[in-house]
């Protein structure tokens, strides 16, 4: 009762192909592959930005982080 055999997976694949069609599955696969590729590139770029030191110019104003509070307290 644990895992499925190869025949179960083949039947599931056949049903999926019959329901969605091969063209739609191909499009879905290429879209998914593009999304994964974009995610990997974003992670690579994010790692490079995190390791590079941030340099501020003299013209750039300083950023102040503040905590906002709600004024409508009862």
């Amino acid at each position: 009762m644990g895992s499925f055999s190869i025949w179960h997976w083949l039947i599931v694949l056949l049903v999926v192909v019959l329901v969605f069609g091969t063209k739609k599955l191909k499009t879905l696969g290429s879209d998914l592959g593009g999304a994964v590729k974009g995610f990997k590139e974003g992670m690579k770029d994010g790692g490079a930005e995190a390791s590079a030191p941030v340099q501020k110019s003299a013209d750039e104003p300083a950023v102040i982080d503040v905590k906002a509070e709600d004024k409508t307290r009862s």
Side-chain angles (χ1 to χ4, degrees):
M1 191 89 185
S3 65
F4 291 106
S5 70
I6 188 71
W7 295 110
H8 290 106
W9 290 115
L10 288 174
I11 292 171
V12 169
L13 179 65
L14 179 67
V15 169
V16 168
V17 169
L18 288 174
V19 169
F20 293 109
T22 56
K23 187 174 182 179
K24 206 173 235 186
L25 289 176
K26 182 180 177 185
T27 306
L28 178 69
S30 64
D31 290 344
L32 182 62
V36 169
K37 184 177 180 182
F39 178 76
K40 286 182 180 180
E41 288 175 0
M43 292 298 291
K44 191 184 311 179
D45 292 343
E49 290 176 7
S51 63
V54 177
Q55 296 178 356
K56 273 177 47 175
S57 66
D59 299 338
E60 194 174 314
V63 177
I64 300 172
D65 189 16
V66 296
K67 180 180 176 185
E69 293 186 13
D70 189 14
K71 292 184 178 181
T72 60
R73 291 187 190 175
S74 313

